[in-house]
Amino acid sequence: MAKEIKQKNVYLFGNKFADGKADMKNLLGGKGANLAEMSLIGVPVPPGFTITTEMCTEYNLHGRDGVIKLIKKEVEEGIAFTEKIMGSKFGDKKNPCLFSVRSGARASMPGMMDTILNLGLNDEVAEGLVKKSGNDRFVWDSYRRFVQMYGDVVMGLKPESKEDIDPFEEIIEHLKEKKKVTDDSQLTAADFKELVKLFKKAVKDKTGKDFPTDPWEQLWGSIMSVFDSWMNERAIFYRKLNNIPAEWGTAVNVQAMVFGNMGLTSATGVAFTRDAGTGEDIFNGEYLINAQGEDVVAGIRTPQQITKEGSIRWAKLANVTEKDRAKNFPSLEETMPKLYKELMKTQEKLENHYKDMQDLEFTIQDGKLWMLQTRNGKRTGAAMVKIAVDMLDQKMIDEKTAILRVEPNKLDELLHPVFDKTAISNAKVVAKGLPASPGAATGQIVFHADEAEEWAAKGKNIILVRIETSPEDLKGMNVANGILTARGGMTSHAAVVARGMGKCCVSGAGAIKIDYKKRTLETGGVKFEEGDWISLNGSTGEVYNGKIETRTPELSGDFGKLMKLADKNSRMLVRTNADTPHDAKVAREFGAQGIGLCRTEHMFFEGIKIKAMREMILADDEAGRRAGLAKLLPMQREDFEGIFEAMHDLPVTVRLLDPPLHEFVPHEEANQAEMAKEMGISAAEVKAKVESLHEFNPMLGHRGCRLGNTYPEISEMQTRAIIEAALNLKKKGITAKPEIMIPLTGTYKEMKMQEDIVRSTIETVFKERKDKIDYLVGTMIEVPRAALVADKIAESAEFFSFGTNDLTQMTFGYSRDDAGKFLPVYLEKGLLKNDPFQILDQEGVGQLIKMAIEKGRSTRKKLKVGICGEHGGEPSSVEFCHTVGMDYVSCSPFRVPIARLAAAQAALKETKKTVKKATAKKK
Ligand code: ADP
Ligand code: MG
Ligand code: MG
């Protein structure tokens, strides 16, 4: 024998006793662990036992016989244990005990796996139970449910595709038609008895096998089916979506049945200890009298509310009069006041015990309350915040727990407009794209950016629809309520810019066909014209036909309170990426402590600025460039004044010009002609210049500090604009704190040359103005080489800001603009766990960051370090930034609160770890 040591594979619970407890979820699954815990704290649960998740793995390795060998004896003991408490016997013809067989994994996977109820019935047992209970309707109802569930799940009659209907449902419908009734509750005992016969015949017809009459055969069949359901398509899909590993396996809970279908003194229901949608501290839920299992959620009958208050609320929404409600849909509080009180006490007890909002399942059998399940309830972002803050106020949890309990990403839901609930339920989806930037938007379709501006100026609500967007569309995007593109991924231009603006965007909706000339949009057979209304859900990627009302969510007191707590507990600061005074203001309202990245190139696209910019680019020599730059100087200075003023007293990191120059010139012939006319030169000259700017690999081409080092006059002009703006504000009593950032350095000399240009320009301006301000000169670290020689670069740079978009691109060698072709496949095939442009690759890129910080600080102890890539607003990446010792993260305005919370959590997790270590040492 291989295994001599006896391992425990089955855990008993019931009658205030249990082998397991709440913290054994890994072994017993969430349901099993909580059934044990409830039993221990004296909450009435039907007795039973849990077969461990390890046995699921065993089953997947060694199959049915292998696992039965391991657990047979313990399962028999479990049944005997249950029989003793229940005072009845499994399979007994006079006094039978029935069982349920329920799945239950570590993480809750609601409805994904299978459950079988009323197990242990056959014709003889049924007759016996009729005699014992004196209630033949209840017995035959239970029996037909059992045959259906077992037939579906164990014998495989459940339809595979959505189009097919369950053969048992078909039989029921048939019978109802024949009897001219609409509701299951109108069927009689004789009808149910008839159903059992018909169901069994259907099983025989479809499978060629008789329905098993031996209770033990039924039991083993059900246990194996629950193990099997771990591997069903639904469960696999759900695991993928929620990052649950397949190795975990499901536990199996075998539990004595209690019956909610024994008549008018019995019921079944589900409840939440607080409102899962709003977070309000109101007990709520639904129930049905004389019903079983999932009847409440299955939509067969209209469920009734548990509390009277909830019932009245419900009636208002459902347009039910008070008279009708009281007569036909009364609350549990009204129908069974005593049991209601008991349920109320139990829910309070459970919430106080678990110290979190609970999602409960219960059954009332002939006037006695039984709890069947409890778990921490899923909830919306708003509810998450409110519940955490309320529980802190109610002294149920401490500050740390409150902060750690809110998922940072869920805050997103609170920050963007949302669709009106009733309006959205009637809306029709016409296309689906990527959820590129969250929020809800509704507006009239416009296809061109300049027209978007015109329409918006007239006060119209618009959605900008483009095949894809480019920097030229910025202004149109800025005035649109939302952006829809046919092409492009989550990191496409449209997506990144929209997220930055906090604007709803659906990108890459491949099914939509856009005709710019005819100004039409076609999708799924529906044709839209310019001016037609559509609506976008940027959180799901759904595109709706027509206008749907939206609401701006309120950033309530709870939210503010949570944010204050977060700041109190974090070490890192959170800055924002903002290019305009408006964005800066928004970010400041969200709590940004400065700007971590102000991109100057976006400023050049507006109005006459682009003309001066193009003049500079078209110039053949330095003198010509200087002439163009001289025109840009006052405009740029004004831009900086606006931003510095909005961010007064807080630091603003300004990045000098970064993108390749060809991005500023038109590529379409018509636009080139227009530009030629404007500049007073020939179209051929423009064309030639545009062609000369062409690069094979512009992302690795003439950009970043390479521009500033080949054309120092550009860096000079920008520096001058920055410093003059700051000095102008100083005169008005406003403090600006500029930090000048050199992009894309890879060598010390590259950085040093830029530093010298910047510093000498500043000295000149100081002399001219006879005034001074404080400033810093630093660099972005985004070329891998810069990370490698960070100690050298830090001799010149006073700060580092990790540009993790480019750093990821160059470390992986993935072009961000072309990754759409292979990244999804890589994720699908498991070659990459995450999209490294969304979630920082800590293993690879993270090493470069860590090393660069260490090297940088070895030269310059007080080196200021931050991150300004998209990752600066992604919680797991923020945590990484904390652990490697960054001073701040910077992210788009709408992600600032998320980063603040993530920064606090990172700090709290760290202290938790050190505390643990410290106590471990003491021992
Ligand atoms: P899921 O994990 O999909 O929620 P459950 O195992 O909770 O499935 O079972 C679904 C429902 O079946 C429960 O909510 C409960 O109403 C009913 N049920 C399960 N076990 C029993 C039992 N022992 N007695 C009465 N009803 C039960
Ligand atoms: Mg359940
Ligand atoms: Mg970059």
Side-chain angles (χ1 to χ4, degrees):
M1 282 253 280
K3 263 188 191 161
E4 278 301 335
I5 306 158
K6 200 169 165 275
Q7 189 194 338
K8 194 170 175 54
N9 299 320
V10 171
Y11 287 70
L12 308 175
F13 60 83
N15 213 6
K16 301 191 183 175
F17 164 84
D19 288 325
K21 55 181 175 17
D23 64 8
M24 291 169 73
K25 289 198 178 68
N26 294 0
L27 192 63
L28 304 180
K31 203 181 286 167
N34 284 333
L35 282 169
E37 185 81 6
M38 283 197 285
S39 186
L40 283 175
I41 63 170
V43 169
V45 294
F49 54 89
T50 304
I51 304 169
T52 65
T53 53
E54 287 173 355
M55 292 302 102
C56 183
T57 311
E58 196 69 35
Y59 172 77
N60 288 330
L61 289 173
H62 301 121
R64 179 185 166 113
D65 294 342
V67 82
I68 289 184
K69 223 189 308 169
L70 277 175
I71 60 175
K72 186 157 184 284
K73 194 153 161 279
E74 281 180 277
V75 166
E76 284 167 2
E77 285 165 6
I79 295 285
F81 166 83
T82 313
E83 288 172 339
K84 203 165 156 208
I85 296 175
M86 294 302 284
S88 53
K89 271 196 141 22
F90 185 41
D92 194 87
K93 281 159 204 153
K94 283 203 184 114
N95 183 21
C97 180
L98 304 189
F99 283 88
S100 70
V101 176
R102 319 170 64 189
S103 57
R106 271 192 221 187
S108 115
M109 295 169 59
M112 292 299 125
M113 291 179 293
D114 296 321
T115 292
I116 289 153
L117 305 181
N118 310 325
L119 185 141
L121 279 169
N122 55 37
D123 293 352
E124 289 164 301
V125 170
E127 289 301 346
L129 196 57
V130 169
K131 267 194 208 127
K132 182 189 164 194
S133 66
N135 185 342
D136 56 347
R137 188 177 188 280
F138 143 67
V139 174
W140 292 105
D141 176 37
S142 302
Y143 198 179
R144 61 100 188 183
R145 287 172 187 267
F146 170 54
V147 178
Q148 175 167 0
M149 280 186 252
Y150 195 93
D152 272 340
V153 172
V154 186
M155 305 191 79
L157 264 65
K158 194 190 308 195
E160 303 245 312
S161 84
K162 260 205 279 187
E163 283 78 44
D164 300 328
I165 39 170
D166 183 301
F168 301 112
E169 293 298 334
E170 217 171 354
I171 296 170
I172 298 177
E173 280 316 306
H174 216 215
L175 183 76
K176 280 205 248 174
E177 259 168 48
K178 214 172 88 188
K179 309 270 309 186
K180 297 204 170 59
V181 301
T182 51
D183 198 313
D184 283 12
S185 63
Q186 294 163 296
L187 295 173
T188 63
D191 295 332
F192 287 138
K193 196 168 178 179
E194 173 73 9
L195 282 179
V196 170
K197 231 170 76 191
L198 293 172
F199 282 4
K200 285 190 170 179
K201 185 172 174 303
V203 168
K204 177 85 188 186
D205 289 349
K206 295 236 164 162
T207 65
K209 286 186 210 145
D210 285 318
F211 190 86
T213 54
D214 175 11
W216 282 98
E217 189 187 336
Q218 294 172 355
L219 178 62
W220 287 117
S222 301
I223 292 172
M224 300 309 145
S225 284
V226 170
F227 284 149
D228 278 329
S229 69
W230 179 253
M231 285 298 177
N232 76 30
E233 226 171 279
R234 260 180 311 166
I236 290 171
F237 182 75
Y238 186 88
R239 284 203 292 272
K240 212 185 223 171
L241 218 64
N242 292 281
N243 266 321
I244 299 173
E247 306 88 73
W248 283 4
T250 179
V252 181
N253 302 287
V254 179
Q255 188 177 26
M257 278 302 296
V258 291
F259 302 99
N261 57 339
M262 277 184 108
L264 297 179
T265 54
S266 300
T268 182
V270 293
F272 294 91
T273 60
R274 296 185 189 222
D275 191 306
T278 63
E280 280 171 285
D281 189 2
I282 304 177
F283 178 54
N284 64 97
E286 297 178 332
Y287 82 108
L288 278 174
I289 288 183
N290 198 13
Q292 188 177 59
E294 310 275 58
D295 286 4
V296 175
V297 283
I300 316 172
R301 281 160 63 190
T302 308
Q304 291 154 235
Q305 299 298 308
I306 291 179
T307 66
K308 188 170 174 192
E309 193 190 334
S311 182
I312 291 168
R313 266 202 211 180
W314 164 85
K316 267 199 195 120
L317 288 172
N319 260 331
V320 170
T321 63
E322 173 55 20
K323 212 174 135 200
D324 189 10
R325 183 202 73 77
K327 182 164 175 277
N328 297 314
F329 308 100
S331 64
L332 186 75
E333 191 172 353
E334 292 158 288
T335 54
M336 301 183 179
K338 243 186 79 197
L339 283 152
Y340 169 76
K341 272 202 193 116
E342 209 183 316
L343 180 63
M344 206 52 192
K345 262 202 209 139
T346 308
Q347 67 93 8
E348 272 169 20
K349 179 172 184 171
L350 285 169
E351 191 182 90
N352 284 329
H353 182 72
Y354 285 97
K355 301 195 186 323
D356 199 354
M357 186 262 274
Q358 297 296 295
D359 169 351
L360 309 167
E361 293 172 9
F362 67 92
T363 284
I364 293 167
Q365 172 178 326
D366 199 17
K368 178 166 169 43
L369 173 69
W370 296 92
M371 299 311 292
L372 289 167
Q373 193 169 339
T374 190
R375 62 181 162 217
N376 295 338
K378 298 210 186 311
R379 63 204 77 174
T380 63
M384 197 171 268
V385 172
K386 178 155 176 58
I387 291 173
V389 172
D390 280 354
M391 286 191 165
L392 176 64
D393 288 345
Q394 293 161 353
K395 302 210 163 53
M396 277 176 86
I397 54 175
D398 61 12
E399 208 172 289
K400 257 189 192 181
T401 312
I403 293 170
L404 286 170
R405 198 172 268 175
V406 179
E407 283 169 48
N409 276 330
K410 279 265 192 182
L411 292 183
D412 219 25
E413 292 171 27
L414 276 76
L415 306 175
H416 296 275
V418 288
F419 282 125
D420 183 79
K421 266 206 190 108
T422 34
I424 194 74
S425 62
N426 298 320
K428 189 172 174 285
V429 176
V430 288
K432 211 165 177 272
L434 296 168
S437 180
T442 195
Q444 292 176 275
I445 297 174
V446 176
F447 294 97
H448 300 280
D450 48 347
E451 283 161 22
E453 283 179 84
E454 285 163 26
W455 287 51
K458 287 182 203 143
K460 289 187 178 173
N461 284 299
I462 52 143
I463 302 280
L464 180 64
V465 179
R466 301 284 302 166
I467 295 173
E468 57 195 344
T469 64
S470 72
E472 288 173 59
D473 297 323
L474 265 180
K475 280 169 69 191
M477 295 171 74
N478 200 28
V479 295
N481 286 359
I483 298 136
L484 170 64
T485 71
R487 278 193 224 138
M490 293 291 288
T491 54
S492 64
H493 176 266
V496 174
V497 173
R499 280 200 294 277
M501 294 174 168
K503 188 152 292 203
C504 168
C505 173
V506 172
S507 70
I512 67 173
K513 292 206 176 57
I514 295 168
D515 189 328
Y516 282 144
K517 283 220 178 95
K518 291 193 192 131
R519 296 171 191 243
T520 58
L521 154 66
E522 215 182 312
T523 173
V526 190
K527 199 162 182 178
F528 294 87
E529 306 203 359
E530 186 177 74
D532 286 346
W533 286 81
I534 51 166
S535 303
L536 310 176
N537 185 341
S539 312
T540 62
E542 274 153 336
V543 182
Y544 296 92
N545 192 347
K547 179 178 180 173
I548 307 174
E549 291 303 326
T550 61
R551 291 187 290 114
T552 346
E554 300 244 329
L555 294 183
S556 64
D558 290 328
F559 178 82
K561 203 164 171 184
L562 180 75
M563 285 295 114
K564 257 209 191 114
L565 290 180
D567 291 347
K568 193 178 125 196
N569 283 281
S570 45
R571 178 185 57 72
M572 281 194 301
L573 294 178
V574 176
R575 294 194 190 181
T576 191
N577 299 348
D579 307 336
T580 64
H582 172 262
D583 284 1
K585 236 179 254 148
V586 170
R588 218 178 165 152
E589 274 159 26
F590 284 141
Q593 308 255 30
I595 289 180
L597 175 65
C598 172
R599 288 161 294 200
T600 48
E601 55 270 19
H602 288 176
M603 299 169 180
F604 295 131
F605 282 102
E606 284 167 38
I608 50 167
K609 284 182 220 169
I610 187 76
K611 200 182 159 200
M613 186 69 187
R614 285 171 175 172
E615 204 179 304
M616 189 274 288
I617 293 170
L618 287 182
D620 294 318
D621 54 15
E622 191 188 322
R625 276 193 298 277
R626 282 194 185 274
L629 287 165
K631 286 184 192 161
L632 280 171
L633 175 67
M635 298 187 266
Q636 179 117 84
R637 189 172 54 219
E638 206 178 309
D639 285 332
F640 290 136
E641 279 176 25
I643 288 173
F644 291 160
E645 189 168 355
M647 267 295 154
H648 60 91
D649 300 313
L650 294 174
V652 176
T653 306
V654 182
R655 179 179 71 185
L656 300 188
L657 194 66
D658 180 51
L661 295 180
H662 78 89
E663 281 194 13
F664 299 94
V665 291
H667 294 270
E668 281 160 38
E669 224 157 273
N671 296 345
Q672 286 180 358
E674 202 178 301
M675 173 177 157
K677 213 166 113 199
E678 244 172 54
M679 321 274 319
I681 52 173
S682 76
E685 267 176 279
V686 173
K687 194 164 177 241
K689 188 69 196 181
V690 171
E691 271 166 18
S692 80
L693 287 172
H694 171 81
E695 289 176 304
F696 287 104
N697 229 330
M699 278 300 124
L700 301 177
H702 194 188
R703 59 173 287 222
C705 66
R706 298 158 208 170
L707 278 174
N709 281 329
T710 45
Y711 302 148
E713 53 277 11
I714 297 179
S715 301
E716 275 173 33
M717 182 281 285
Q718 290 200 291
T719 303
R720 180 173 275 278
I722 293 166
I723 298 300
E724 287 182 354
L727 288 170
N728 286 352
L729 289 181
K730 189 180 173 189
K731 263 198 198 139
K732 289 200 245 167
I734 299 166
T735 308
K737 297 183 170 173
E739 302 180 349
I740 297 174
M741 180 155 78
I742 313 302
L744 220 75
T745 51
T747 71
Y748 164 75
K749 282 192 175 167
E750 261 180 327
M751 177 60 207
K752 182 65 181 145
M753 180 170 282
Q754 282 294 293
E755 187 202 348
D756 290 346
I757 295 166
V758 168
R759 286 197 193 278
S760 69
T761 307
I762 293 177
E763 283 313 312
T764 313
V765 178
F766 282 173
K767 258 185 223 144
E768 287 167 13
R769 295 283 184 114
K770 299 198 176 60
D771 201 356
K772 272 185 182 179
I773 48 140
D774 290 329
Y775 69 93
L776 295 177
V777 185
T779 185
M780 269 179 109
I781 304 286
E782 50 189 337
V783 175
R785 193 184 191 282
L788 296 168
V789 298
D791 46 347
K792 290 250 179 61
I793 290 181
E795 283 171 22
S796 160
E798 291 175 292
F799 66 87
F800 284 175
S801 176
F802 288 91
T804 45
N805 294 347
D806 266 314
L807 190 59
T808 299
Q809 171 163 267
M810 295 196 216
T811 303
F812 274 92
Y814 294 166
S815 155
R816 212 155 51 115
D817 305 302
D818 303 307
K821 285 194 183 140
F822 57 87
L823 262 190
V825 184
Y826 265 38
L827 293 169
E828 177 83 39
K829 294 195 170 177
L831 289 167
L832 287 173
K833 199 162 165 236
N834 299 301
D835 178 346
F837 292 109
Q838 281 177 40
I839 295 182
L840 186 75
D841 161 48
Q842 296 183 16
E843 187 189 13
V845 178
Q847 272 196 55
L848 284 172
I849 293 174
K850 204 162 166 253
M851 183 182 69
I853 296 174
E854 279 161 15
K855 285 195 154 201
R857 289 198 173 136
S858 73
T859 315
R860 189 186 290 268
K861 218 169 145 205
K862 291 244 164 85
L863 182 78
K864 197 173 193 176
V865 180
I867 182 175
C868 62
E870 289 263 306
H871 304 97
E874 191 283 313
S876 70
S877 311
V878 171
E879 190 179 338
F880 175 80
C881 294
H882 174 93
T883 50
V884 295
M886 286 195 196
D887 299 299
Y888 68 88
V889 297
S890 187
C891 56
S892 56
F894 279 81
R895 294 200 74 83
V896 166
I898 295 167
R900 285 164 76 192
L901 182 60
Q905 293 188 343
L908 287 173
K909 282 185 204 165
E910 193 178 62
T911 50
K912 245 188 177 174
K913 267 183 227 156
T914 33
V915 168
K916 249 192 205 161
K917 259 190 216 154
T919 46
K921 259 186 204 157
K922 261 188 215 159
K923 281 179 196 165

